[in-house]
Amino acid sequence: MAVKKVAGPKSKMTAELNTTLGEKLLADAAKRLDDRPRLLSQISGFAQKWQQEVFSSQGAVSGKRWKPLAASTAGRPLVRTGELLRELTGAPRQMKASVQVRAPEHADFLKSGRFARSSKVAGGSRSGTVGLGGSMPRRDPAPRPPEKRLAVLTSELLGMVTPRDYRS
């Protein structure tokens, strides 16, 4: 005995391309992009929080913790007078179309470190290094945030630009 297969009902899916909706979406997004102060404020807050995390974790948040201070040195790495900490963790400078985290000039030297010939370790023998303060390990006070953190910022900025009606 053969079983007869019965075809199910046919379904039809149609799609209509309506460019008006796309034009409205892009026009709304363009209006929101013109609100630069709001977007720059978001970026500024991100930069300030990032730098605060860098200092509170002594660089570990960027993937590489700063080398500890020599036993003879008091305080925290990269915080002697507080100038570098204040400049990097304070509110960034908001320009017309950008945000700037500015550091004192000596911050560039901290990235490369310094090796003094007669000094075994930071704070060690200082003969022949008078005025140099001995060796200094590399410590980047303003590392670039990791890609995952930047992706979160980008997502937040897109959320601020994309009209609420069109977010999924």
Side-chain angles (χ1 to χ4, degrees), residues 106-124:
H106 68 273
D108 288 339
F109 299 110
L110 298 170
K111 289 179 189 178
S112 60
R114 177 183 61 231
F115 177 73
R117 245 180 334 150
S118 301
S119 180
K120 295 176 187 165
V121 293

Side-chain angles (χ1 to χ4, degrees), residues 6-38:
V6 179
K10 291 185 178 182
S11 62
K12 182 178 178 182
M13 185 169 97
T14 59
E16 182 182 327
L17 180 59
N18 184 343
T19 58
T20 308
L21 184 61
E23 288 172 0
K24 182 179 179 341
L25 173 70
L26 290 175
D28 289 348
K31 283 181 194 171
R32 286 178 173 79
L33 278 171
D34 281 339
D35 189 1
R36 283 187 186 174
R38 185 170 165 239

Side-chain angles (χ1 to χ4, degrees), residues 39-40 42-43 152-162:
L39 295 171
L40 293 175
Q42 183 77 11
I43 295 168
V152 170
L153 173 63
T154 302
S155 178
E156 290 171 357
L157 293 172
L158 285 173
M160 293 171 69
V161 173
T162 307

Side-chain angles (χ1 to χ4, degrees), residues 3-168:
V3 177
K4 187 176 182 184
K5 291 184 182 179
V6 179
K10 291 185 178 182
S11 62
K12 182 178 178 182
M13 185 169 97
T14 59
E16 182 182 327
L17 180 59
N18 184 343
T19 58
T20 308
L21 184 61
E23 288 172 0
K24 182 179 179 341
L25 173 70
L26 290 175
D28 289 348
K31 283 181 194 171
R32 286 178 173 79
L33 278 171
D34 281 339
D35 189 1
R36 283 187 186 174
R38 185 170 165 239
L39 295 171
L40 293 175
S41 176
Q42 183 77 11
I43 295 168
S44 179
F46 172 85
Q48 187 173 21
K49 286 177 196 165
W50 169 251
Q51 280 304 135
Q52 289 168 348
E53 286 181 50
V54 168
F55 272 85
S56 67
S57 71
Q58 296 185 354
V61 72
S62 68
K64 188 174 182 185
R65 188 176 185 89
W66 299 328
K67 290 186 179 179
L69 294 174
S72 61
T73 308
R76 297 183 298 166
L78 300 186
V79 181
R80 189 183 65 183
T81 65
E83 177 191 20
L84 182 66
L85 176 65
R86 259 190 324 278
E87 291 289 325
L88 289 175
T89 61
R93 184 175 174 195
Q94 288 189 33
M95 308 295 283
K96 201 172 191 179
S98 65
V99 172
Q100 294 179 350
V101 175
R102 300 182 62 133
E105 287 183 22
H106 68 273
D108 288 339
F109 299 110
L110 298 170
K111 289 179 189 178
S112 60
R114 177 183 61 231
F115 177 73
R117 245 180 334 150
S118 301
S119 180
K120 295 176 187 165
V121 293
S125 168
R126 293 182 182 222
S127 62
T129 59
V130 176
L132 292 178
S135 293
M136 180 178 74
R138 292 179 180 164
R139 295 185 180 117
D140 188 354
R144 178 181 170 86
E147 293 300 320
K148 287 182 180 179
R149 294 291 289 271
L150 292 174
V152 170
L153 173 63
T154 302
S155 178
E156 290 171 357
L157 293 172
L158 285 173
M160 293 171 69
V161 173
T162 307
R164 284 186 179 89
D165 303 348
Y166 306 104
R167 293 183 204 159
S168 54

